[in-house]
Amino acid sequence: MRVLYLSAWYPTERDQMAGLFVRKHKEAVERQGADVRVAYNEEKNAFRSLMMLWREVKQWMKEGWVPDVVQVNVLSKHALIAYWLKKRYNVPYIIVEHWSGYLPQNFSIRGGWHLKLMKILAREAYCILPVSQNLQSAMKKCGIQNARWERIHNVVDDFFYRRSTDGRPTVDRQSTETSPRDVTEKRLRNERCHLLHVSCFDEKAKNVKGLLRAVREVAERRQDFTLTLVGNGADWVADRAYAESLHFPDGMLIWTGEQTPQEVCQWMQQSDVFVLFSNYENAPVVLSESLAAGCPVIATSVGGIPEIINNQCGVLVTPRDEKALAREIYRMLDHFNDYDKHTIRSLGVQYDYQSVGEKLYAIYKQAVGE
């Protein structure tokens, strides 16, 4: 089956992380036998971008590669090409939606003709696949309608599921000044619990400062733990400076900067608790990765997070409630071993390449009438 991806985001040499979830969907359906081509460009002018995409698709069709189905990744201008292919060649299209701009905490929908066009493009799709039920509800409140909705998961890399015979992760990278194994061995010697946070350090969404304040409150009462903060982003420098102003005990905070996915996997597999204190989310893949790695979670009850985390794998707190977060961190320091890692990993299986790829490929087949 030939599948055309029309994508608003996709990884490039300049930014390897942008739209990474789209590339993983592509890889997942390719494992099911799909022949996938991606039409994407970084042109900022909407009209020029659309023309560039259309010329690329037309060239493929002239060469004999005509798509059986189109996947629109994020409902935006490039969906016009999918709409035209449906009307001209009867090629069905689906929409996979990741965008947080529908959510009230990050509302970014333009009204007028733009919203009217979005509604038309959404209605003509074979189905819409948001990454969370919460996102689906938010889209419907904006007037986005379709006869069929289904939730689709983002994909977790295979190596998050692999374990060596001694229980340690199979990945063994030592490219950072402070490695996951260094921290694990230090923790074992000092009997410390290891907390982990991974994010893009976007303060508006991730509320890292609120997390730091809650952790600092816990540190007033006990110091038998560390917190590793993995990632980079627009607010990373400011967040680190803010942490210094809180005067944490020496060695309690570990800042790694940006890490490879394999290194993130190591951190998760060798941590005791993952913490995410977001103000809003859709379906953060770091939580799915934590489950695949067998790591229990403390997170906020926002967006699609309650669809991922339950009492078998973690605990939820109210967003911005730093007192509640501090209480749960304090409790988890003594009770993280109450969570069964095998159960947590079993909850994470639904995010692997096979599960997600099979579901997407089945929807493609239904769309083309197979």
Side-chain angles (χ1 to χ4, degrees):
M1 181 180 295
R2 295 179 296 274
V3 185
L4 172 63
Y5 273 32
L6 295 168
S7 191
W9 307 314
Y10 203 73
T12 64
E13 290 185 5
R14 184 183 60 83
D15 188 348
Q16 292 289 328
M17 299 305 294
L20 182 59
F21 38 78
V22 178
R23 190 177 73 190
K24 290 182 179 180
H25 276 170
K26 171 181 177 288
E27 293 168 351
V29 295
E30 285 176 334
R31 294 188 186 191
Q32 299 297 314
D35 175 11
V36 185
R37 295 192 183 185
V38 180
Y40 169 75
N41 61 62
E42 296 182 277
E43 171 59 52
K44 300 302 181 183
N45 180 277
F47 179 76
R48 285 199 297 268
S49 173
L50 196 61
M51 291 301 98
M52 290 167 64
L53 291 172
W54 175 230
R55 284 195 294 269
E56 186 173 23
V57 172
K58 278 204 306 183
Q59 182 59 39
W60 290 337
M61 294 175 69
K62 286 180 180 179
E63 295 169 357
W65 192 91
V66 179
D68 299 301
V69 64
V70 178
Q71 178 169 315
V72 175
N73 297 294
V74 182
L75 178 56
S76 61
K77 61 183 181 297
H78 52 283
L80 287 167
I81 296 174
Y83 179 84
W84 189 86
L85 288 171
K86 177 185 177 181
K87 295 301 183 181
R88 178 67 176 83
Y89 297 104
N90 199 30
V91 177
Y93 66 93
I94 68 172
I95 298 169
V96 175
E97 190 57 76
H98 311 262
W99 189 44
S100 66
Y102 297 97
L103 305 180
Q105 304 93 329
N106 191 41
F107 192 76
S108 306
I109 297 290
R110 288 184 287 168
W113 68 267
H114 184 265
L115 181 56
K116 290 180 181 179
L117 180 59
M118 289 177 66
K119 290 178 179 179
I120 294 170
L121 295 173
R123 190 169 56 246
E124 290 289 332
Y126 174 76
C127 65
I128 301 178
L129 309 177
V131 293
S132 72
Q133 293 292 331
N134 180 75
L135 179 57
Q136 175 179 323
S137 297
M139 293 176 72
K140 287 184 174 181
K141 288 179 181 178
C142 295
I144 304 299
Q145 296 294 332
N146 190 272
R148 179 176 177 180
W149 297 78
E150 287 193 41
R151 180 187 174 194
I152 191 68
H153 295 309
N154 287 321
V155 176
V156 171
D157 283 307
D158 290 336
F159 46 77
F160 281 89
Y161 298 93
R162 291 198 293 265
R163 306 288 292 182
S164 61
T165 56
D166 64 357
R168 301 175 79 85
T170 57
V171 179
D172 185 18
R173 294 186 57 118
Q174 300 293 323
S175 63
T176 57
E177 181 179 351
T178 304
S179 73
R181 184 162 293 184
D182 291 339
V183 172
T184 299
E185 291 172 353
K186 180 179 179 181
R187 174 173 59 81
L188 291 174
R189 290 195 300 271
N190 296 311
E191 297 183 347
R192 287 188 172 190
C193 175
H194 186 46
L195 308 177
L196 176 67
H197 171 82
V198 181
S199 78
C200 61
F201 289 84
D202 173 7
E203 192 62 28
K204 179 183 175 183
K206 305 302 180 181
N207 193 14
V208 176
K209 290 180 179 177
L211 167 62
L212 291 169
R213 287 191 292 268
V215 172
R216 188 66 183 88
E217 181 177 333
V218 176
E220 292 292 328
R221 302 162 62 191
R222 60 194 295 178
Q223 298 182 12
D224 57 342
F225 67 96
T226 62
L227 170 65
T228 299
L229 298 105
V230 175
N232 206 339
D235 296 312
W236 186 88
V237 173
D239 287 339
R240 187 162 186 175
Y242 183 72
E244 291 177 358
S245 75
L246 295 178
H247 304 292
F248 280 88
D250 289 343
M252 181 169 285
L253 298 188
I254 301 162
W255 300 80
T256 71
E258 187 173 349
Q259 301 277 272
T260 66
Q262 290 86 350
E263 287 164 337
V264 171
C265 173
Q266 279 189 295
W267 286 112
M268 288 183 172
Q269 291 180 331
Q270 298 193 31
S271 295
D272 297 308
V273 184
F274 186 89
V275 187
L276 191 67
F277 196 46
S278 301
N279 294 325
Y280 62 88
E281 289 283 2
N282 271 327
V285 71
V286 289
L287 296 187
S288 305
E289 291 170 343
S290 295
L291 301 189
C295 185
V297 171
I298 302 173
T300 44
S301 182
V302 296
I305 292 179
E307 301 168 35
I308 301 172
I309 304 302
N310 58 39
N311 58 13
Q312 291 182 293
C313 57
V315 63
L316 298 176
V317 299
T318 303
R320 302 182 188 274
D321 190 341
E322 296 170 20
K323 295 292 184 183
L325 177 61
R327 285 196 302 270
E328 290 301 334
I329 290 175
Y330 190 95
R331 185 190 65 82
M332 192 71 89
L333 294 178
D334 296 318
H335 294 283
F336 66 87
N337 277 324
D338 295 347
Y339 292 89
D340 181 70
K341 287 186 175 292
H342 177 75
T343 298
I344 295 174
R345 293 190 190 105
S346 69
L347 294 172
V349 170
Q350 62 188 312
Y351 308 107
D352 67 10
Y353 274 98
Q354 181 175 342
S355 298
V356 178
E358 286 178 350
K359 181 171 183 177
L360 269 177
Y361 197 76
I363 291 171
Y364 297 161
K365 292 175 68 176
Q366 293 163 11
V368 301
E370 291 186 10

